[in-house]
Amino acid sequence: MRSLTTDVLVIGGGITGAGVAWDASLRGLDVILVERLDLAEGTSGRFHGLLHSGARYVVKDPPAARECIAESRILKRIAAVCVEDTGGLFVTTPWDDPEYADRFASACGQTGVDCEEIPAAQALLQEPRLNPSITRAFRAPDANIDIWKAVWAMARGAEERGARVLPYHEVTAIRRDGDQVTGAHVRDVRGDEGLEIEAQVTVNASGAWAGRIATLAGIEGVRVFPGRGIMIAMNHRLVNTVINRCQMPSDGDILVPVRTVSVIGTTDEHTDDPDDQTVAQSEVDQMLDEGEKLVPGFRQARALRVWTGVRPLFEDAKAGGTATRDVTRAHALLDHRTRDGVGGFVTITGGKATTYRLMAEETVDAVCDILGRSVPCSTATQPLPGSEPGENYRLGERLARKEQHLRDEQVICECELVSRDQLEQTLRRSGSANLDDIRRRLRLGMGPCQGGFCIYRAIGIMHAQGGVSAEQADASLLEFLQERWKGVWPILHGDQLRQMRFDEWVFHGILDVDRLPTGPLAGGSDPEVAAR
Ligand SMILES: Cc1cc2nc3c(=O)[nH]c(=O)nc-3n(C[C@H](O)[C@H](O)[C@H](O)COP(=O)(O)OP(=O)(O)OC[C@H]3O[C@@H](n4cnc5c(N)ncnc54)[C@H](O)[C@@H]3O)c2cc1C
């Protein structure tokens, strides 16, 4: 069995784990990060896309609001290219308590969240599809964030500083030597091989799975409530600003413009299983009905895809009950040396994607404390790789860039404007034959056609590049189509049904996908990592 040693082992490759790995490597620590799936395939890659200004929490959870405004200001600078600074509107619809708006405005003032009331007519001028019956409107500095870009930028940045990032490596046991955690036993999921990792400090950054990892270390009582929520992507940017209902946080009250689509969400249901990806038809209907309240005619837009994420909600000793919207959104850092008498082991869970940097900073401070090192955190000022110019993403930017090279650059995905060159580079770099991995890196197949036009081009290019046989390429295509199908079938009606029938004709008529000769998928781990 292979074995590796390191200063810090990070378990979980979501935004929190990637943030910890990036922060620790900037402080000169040797880091290994392990993730049982692809990076950001847990809750991070299944979230709503909102970089919270904190305005949503000003009345209900003022400390969370303060953290969000401070962190979102930092992220707009250091993760500039991942953020589209759309701005946000909080609007009072006929279904909202009219008294809430005044409490909201005064709580924004108390928590330092910038907010400005504008006439409802001005909000309607800015967002013509909004419900014309809104009575009040407030501007707030909400934005959207591309989490995959941020996670991969931090992982690559950490690797450049010597970190080892191992996707598809699952922790199956935590090593203990008396009252000390000394690392973990890991299984390479794709190669089905064991790997022993010895670490001075082990960080449990496994989000909604944190209680399970703590149990592997023999520590009970780390209670993380999984709060399941669904979101639906609609095929247009129905709005260009993040729209929130001006009310106490509730289900289906936020519409986020994300790249070429807009996403309505979410619900919040208690579940016992962090891997629960149930989508109830009643939840889909509820989201579409709530969307209708914000944007009349919402149901006539085409629903592209529905997905589920599971919030890691840490329950502290004081909290009771199982109403997950009432459990705090704050994060929890547990040093198990002081909490449970188990050294070399730290858990970081809860919080939000928006506050990941702060969570990572506090975690690595605790790690440095355990290691007896004193190195200050620099992540509040050090840009993520790729964000050095400090310019936020703009929707029109890719099209403008593309138009300059239209004659010499082949476009593979028209919806997301992915070029052949980008695709070939990503295929080479990832070494993965899994089109779903490529989707997360490039957003390939995530636009209105959901892969109807680009996926068979991409698979052809993957095969032409070498490395995968025709049978493996076929298997990869089928796996991708099955994954897409899971997100599509709960919303199949109207125009979306027509689009899917069309895609089906493409795949059956041109490729006869049902009868493709397939072979086992090629290994998907990063060649740079596999070489280590
Ligand atoms: C429906 C929904 C909408 C949300 N919307 C927003 C939003 O708009 N804005 C916002 O700021 N926040 C939002 N959040 C919250 C945010 O998404 C999460 O707080 C954040 O993504 C958690 O990141 P994480 O890295 O801690 O957890 P994760 O991303 O879940 O990462 C933990 C990782 O640990 C891995 N893991 C588990 N077990 C093992 C093991 N044995 N070995 C190795 N790896 C393991 C998992 O596979 C997972 O990838 C939303 C959450 C939900 C559920």
Side-chain angles (χ1 to χ4, degrees):
M1 186 188 298
R2 283 198 307 148
S3 64
L4 298 170
T5 56
T6 185
D7 294 335
V8 189
L9 168 64
V10 183
I11 303 171
I15 188 101
T16 309
V20 170
W22 167 238
D23 186 327
S25 49
L26 281 174
R27 298 200 214 191
L29 299 175
D30 186 33
V31 180
I32 296 179
L33 181 149
V34 290
E35 162 58 50
R36 63 181 184 146
L37 305 166
D38 193 16
L39 296 190
E41 208 181 326
T43 307
S44 297
R46 314 185 69 82
F47 85 141
H48 201 165
L50 175 56
L51 182 66
H52 282 282
S53 65
R56 181 167 173 79
Y57 302 112
V58 286
V59 174
K60 184 163 186 184
D61 192 347
R66 286 194 187 91
E67 267 180 18
C68 284
I69 185 66
E71 287 302 309
S72 66
R73 282 178 186 145
I74 294 172
L75 294 186
K76 282 178 187 178
R77 285 197 316 270
I78 60 118
V81 77
C82 310
V83 175
E84 185 190 358
D85 203 357
T86 56
L89 281 174
F90 281 71
V91 294
T92 306
T93 72
W95 295 269
D96 304 324
D97 172 9
E99 313 261 289
Y100 183 86
D102 288 329
R103 287 171 66 201
F104 172 81
S106 112
C108 282
Q110 283 156 18
T111 48
V113 174
D114 321 286
C115 115
E116 176 201 1
E117 178 155 19
I118 58 170
Q122 196 178 333
L124 288 167
L125 212 58
Q126 182 178 330
E127 288 297 349
R129 285 202 176 93
L130 263 185
N131 191 331
S133 313
I134 59 168
T135 48
R136 295 183 73 175
F138 299 85
R139 280 202 176 120
D142 283 329
N144 72 46
I145 179 162
D146 183 332
I147 210 159
W148 292 298
K149 216 175 213 171
V151 166
W152 278 101
M154 291 190 284
R156 294 291 182 216
E159 281 183 323
E160 277 160 21
R161 285 167 173 75
R164 285 158 285 181
V165 176
L166 307 178
Y168 296 107
H169 281 69
E170 180 179 18
V171 168
T172 52
I174 299 284
R175 289 161 47 118
R176 283 235 353 217
D177 183 3
D179 58 7
Q180 193 70 18
V181 165
T182 59
H185 180 80
V186 170
R187 187 173 70 93
D188 174 347
V189 180
R190 297 200 152 173
D192 201 22
E193 273 177 60
L195 172 65
E196 207 63 51
I197 302 180
E198 190 183 328
Q200 294 190 54
V201 184
T202 299
V203 175
N204 172 11
S206 56
W209 293 263
R212 293 189 178 177
I213 295 290
T215 305
L216 288 182
I219 297 167
E220 297 300 334
V222 175
R223 290 199 61 194
V224 183
F225 264 138
R228 187 179 60 78
I230 75 153
M231 291 136 285
I232 304 178
M234 311 301 287
N235 76 330
H236 284 304
R237 272 180 64 125
L238 296 169
V239 289
N240 285 305
T241 315
V242 176
I243 308 293
N244 271 266
R245 296 258 296 274
C246 195
Q247 60 168 7
M248 276 296 202
S250 182
D251 288 354
D253 58 353
I254 317 181
L255 185 57
V256 186
V258 179
R259 299 302 197 260
T260 50
V261 301
S262 35
V263 181
I264 184 85
T266 74
T267 50
D268 198 346
E269 295 291 329
H270 173 72
T271 172
D272 293 322
D273 179 6
D275 288 298
D276 182 358
Q277 291 189 13
T278 313
V279 175
Q281 192 58 51
S282 57
E283 289 177 293
V284 170
D285 284 336
Q286 183 191 7
M287 287 305 98
L288 298 178
D289 288 345
E290 294 302 319
E292 197 70 35
K293 292 176 184 168
L294 284 171
V295 171
F298 192 85
R299 272 181 171 279
Q300 286 158 35
R302 183 152 64 88
L304 283 181
R305 180 170 171 75
V306 56
W307 68 96
T308 310
V310 174
R311 294 176 183 81
L313 299 172
F314 178 72
E315 187 202 34
D316 64 23
K318 289 179 235 151
T322 53
T324 54
R325 248 193 221 292
D326 295 332
V327 179
T328 176
R329 257 57 174 161
H331 61 269
L333 173 65
L334 312 176
D335 182 342
H336 296 285
R337 177 181 49 169
T338 44
R339 185 182 188 268
D340 307 287
V342 179
F345 190 53
V346 172
T347 292
I348 177 74
T349 187
K352 281 171 283 299
T354 304
T355 55
Y356 87 84
R357 194 211 60 82
L358 178 66
M359 292 163 69
E361 175 176 347
E362 291 175 7
T363 307
V364 183
D365 283 350
V367 168
C368 286
D369 190 37
I370 295 170
L371 293 172
R373 301 210 203 167
S374 165
V375 193
C377 173
S378 58
T379 55
T381 49
Q382 170 77 41
L384 305 192
S387 284
E388 294 84 355
E391 281 169 28
N392 291 136
Y393 172 86
R394 281 179 301 105
L395 183 64
E397 155 185 295
R398 283 183 312 171
L399 187 56
R401 245 188 294 130
K402 192 90 6 192
E403 277 175 346
Q404 290 171 5
H405 306 282
L406 264 185
R407 279 168 192 271
D408 33 59
E409 219 179 39
Q410 196 181 347
V411 175
I412 302 302
C413 168
E414 285 88 352
C415 305
E416 294 291 337
L417 291 174
V418 178
S419 69
R420 181 172 187 137
D421 197 38
Q422 271 175 305
L423 174 66
E424 287 182 344
Q425 275 185 32
T426 307
L427 286 169
R428 266 196 299 273
R429 186 151 200 196
S430 75
S432 177
N434 183 337
L435 281 170
D436 218 36
D437 291 351
I438 306 302
R439 170 181 76 82
R440 280 186 289 275
R441 285 171 183 66
L442 288 177
R443 306 184 68 84
L444 187 79
M446 287 177 75
C449 85
Q450 290 285 289
F453 298 115
C454 56
I455 283 305
Y456 59 87
R457 293 174 187 153
I459 203 73
I461 291 169
M462 185 191 277
H463 174 53
Q465 257 193 357
V468 291
S469 65
E471 289 76 16
Q472 286 167 331
D474 292 346
S476 189
L477 174 70
L478 289 177
E479 190 171 293
F480 181 90
L481 293 178
Q482 258 157 24
E483 267 309 305
R484 292 277 85 184
W485 177 246
K486 274 195 236 161
V488 161
W489 72 262
I491 44 174
L492 273 187
H493 54 81
D495 283 345
Q496 181 63 3
L497 182 58
R498 275 188 277 280
Q499 174 74 44
M500 282 299 110
R501 285 291 290 157
F502 180 76
D503 287 355
E504 205 188 332
W505 289 329
V506 171
F507 287 108
H508 285 271
I510 300 179
L511 293 174
D512 200 10
V513 281
D514 280 346
R515 290 183 190 78
L516 285 178
T518 58
L521 273 180
S525 56
D526 193 320
E528 290 163 24
V529 170
R532 289 200 179 105

